[in-house]
Amino acid sequence: MKICDICGNYNLKENNYCTHCGNKLITEHFCPFCSESNPDYATYCIKCGRQMNPLYIDSFDVLFSEFNENLLSNASIGDVEYNKLLSEIFLRAEHFEIEGNTIKDKILNFAGIFTQCYPKSRGYERGFIFLGNKIFYDDRLDDSVQIATIIHELAHYLLFTIVESLLCEIFHVKTSSTLQSFVWYFLTLPEFKIMNEYCAHTVEGRFIPYGYQNYGSFNVLVEDTSLDSESIETMMIFGNTFANEIIVYLEKYLDERLREEIKLQYKMDLKTPNFDSIFIETGECLPLVVKNSMLLKILYEIFEEASSSEARKELESIKEGIEVN
Ligand SMILES: [Zn+2]
Ligand SMILES: [Zn+2]
Ligand SMILES: [Zn+2]
């Protein structure tokens, strides 16, 4: 029997996909040439010596191999495949009843299906996401502000997961701390931080009432960047496109009724809108196929850049951080 790590369904051992949710269930690593069972991380078959895909990538030497470089430079993803990848990410929400005594608890429980959320009671930021997958929100703040923070950080998490899943698909592997380090490296490069932050603000803005948003973390990036205005706009459009993909799914679960409850929480907290303004804004979205071919091109460029020894040091330290936490 194989237990699905997404929905918990029991599957027959010969199944490669979960019969309940469609998740990939590969648990053994067979050589496609001689059928020998290999260790998960093997890139060369232990019996016949031919090159094969590892089940997961456990080192940067393997990640940046010529084999993977070729896979990435030739990669393409159709709209159907991409949408399948998105629906797999949100699949776990399908089996979840959003419950809680307060609307903040409900939002927290919802975010908790995707990743771990921890309260923090110190520091200046409202919240943050740590190395791609842990959400911290400040429990000293009013519930309404905590809700906005959790949704914002969840959007960061989901963008991370989308890129992670796409790379898993391209390299035919399960995720690993090595792969996650590369995703984190990419999303925190100065220009892509703008995309990432714009995406999170746009998603947050969909679920909290108008006029209450705080754009500080985005405005600071735009203020400090050395990018020209055209490049900034490209990053924003990119972020906006991702945000709209995420919003379509989140709206299914954070529905009208829950959004009303969020509004009510703002009233209960006696919040007055601050109408904080965002320096620059875009409503523009790229067609899926355009965005994805741009994304693949960018990922390839970053991949080339990240394989240099200078970037490797940074990747190693990100990986260390992911593994300790
Ligand atoms: Zn399943
Ligand atoms: Zn073999
Ligand atoms: Zn953010």
Side-chain angles (χ1 to χ4, degrees):
M1 282 295 194
K2 290 173 185 169
I3 303 171
C4 171
D5 44 352
I6 291 206
C7 74
N9 185 44
Y10 285 86
N11 289 275
L12 294 174
K13 72 173 190 316
E14 48 276 6
N15 289 1
N16 287 327
Y17 292 88
C18 174
T19 51
H20 186 236
C21 74
N23 177 35
K24 220 181 246 180
L25 295 169
I26 316 161
T27 52
E28 275 183 285
H29 192 206
F30 295 109
C31 170
F33 307 103
C34 75
S35 311
E36 177 71 20
S37 174
N38 275 269
D40 290 352
Y41 50 83
T43 39
Y44 294 94
C45 173
I46 50 169
K47 193 174 168 203
C48 72
R50 274 188 271 192
Q51 189 163 34
M52 52 190 262
N53 292 324
L55 205 54
Y56 63 82
I57 295 165
D58 80 328
S59 77
F60 293 110
D61 286 334
V62 174
L63 175 65
F64 296 118
S65 64
E66 218 184 303
F67 188 65
N68 284 334
E69 192 190 343
N70 282 332
L71 286 175
L72 190 55
S73 75
N74 296 314
S76 68
I77 184 151
D79 291 2
V80 176
E81 271 171 290
Y82 184 77
N83 284 322
K84 184 166 169 272
L85 189 143
L86 284 185
S87 52
E88 271 164 18
I89 293 170
F90 288 94
L91 209 57
R92 59 197 84 176
E94 287 291 323
H95 310 287
F96 188 80
E97 198 69 53
I98 303 180
E99 276 165 0
N101 290 328
T102 61
I103 179 66
K104 188 202 105 185
D105 286 346
K106 289 179 190 173
I107 299 297
L108 195 54
N109 289 337
F110 177 72
I113 336 171
F114 296 96
T115 189
Q116 291 153 298
C117 305
Y118 300 97
K120 67 174 199 79
S121 309
R122 56 174 70 196
Y124 166 71
E125 311 108 305
R126 286 191 320 174
F128 57 89
I129 180 154
F130 187 67
L131 292 168
N133 54 13
K134 283 193 183 63
I135 292 175
F136 291 87
Y137 59 96
D138 196 326
D139 64 1
R140 295 168 300 182
L141 299 164
D142 281 340
D143 275 15
S144 50
V145 182
Q146 291 185 54
I147 290 167
T149 306
I150 295 163
I151 294 174
H152 178 103
E153 302 309 329
L154 179 63
H156 279 307
Y157 170 82
L158 290 168
L159 179 56
F160 180 91
T161 306
I162 291 170
V163 178
E164 180 189 20
S165 307
L166 182 63
L167 288 170
C168 285
E169 193 72 30
I170 291 167
F171 297 137
H172 314 293
V173 291
K174 288 197 163 199
T175 191
S176 60
S177 55
T178 307
L179 192 94
Q180 289 179 331
S181 311
F182 176 68
V183 178
W184 185 250
Y185 174 86
F186 160 57
L187 289 173
T188 51
L189 285 171
E191 68 234 78
F192 298 104
K193 243 185 182 165
I194 294 181
M195 162 189 90
N196 194 358
E197 212 47 61
Y198 195 78
C199 170
H201 278 293
T202 308
V203 173
E204 175 192 342
R206 172 63 190 95
F207 297 98
I208 68 165
Y210 180 69
Y212 291 92
Q213 240 183 312
N214 178 322
Y215 295 105
S217 57
F218 177 77
N219 288 343
V220 163
L221 289 180
V222 173
E223 235 169 20
D224 292 351
T225 187
S226 54
L227 292 183
D228 57 63
S229 60
E230 200 185 320
S231 313
I232 295 174
E233 204 193 341
T234 308
M235 285 303 134
M236 288 166 57
I237 295 171
F238 217 168
N240 193 46
T241 309
F242 274 119
N244 282 291
E245 291 171 8
I246 293 171
I247 287 169
V248 167
Y249 280 94
L250 288 185
E251 275 178 341
K252 278 170 61 181
Y253 311 106
L254 307 182
D255 57 14
E256 188 75 52
R257 190 179 46 88
L258 288 177
R259 295 198 294 269
E260 258 331 293
E261 283 182 49
I262 294 174
K263 259 188 213 165
L264 213 62
Q265 187 64 51
Y266 273 84
K267 286 195 184 127
M268 278 161 59
D269 293 341
L270 302 175
K271 288 279 173 209
T272 42
N274 51 17
F275 297 106
D276 182 15
S277 63
I278 191 158
F279 286 168
I280 29 176
E281 214 175 350
T282 183
E284 208 179 311
C285 270
L286 297 166
L288 198 53
V289 57
V290 175
K291 188 219 68 183
N292 282 338
S293 72
M294 227 172 107
L295 177 64
L296 290 173
K297 209 175 133 245
I298 289 167
L299 283 172
Y300 180 68
E301 279 166 21
I302 308 292
F303 183 91
E304 295 286 281
E305 205 180 287
S307 60
S308 73
S309 60
E310 203 39 53
R312 287 271 196 120
K313 268 183 234 144
E314 206 185 320
L315 282 163
E316 290 289 357
S317 83
I318 297 172
K319 185 176 169 182
E320 217 171 283
I322 290 177
E323 284 172 354
V324 209
N325 285 281

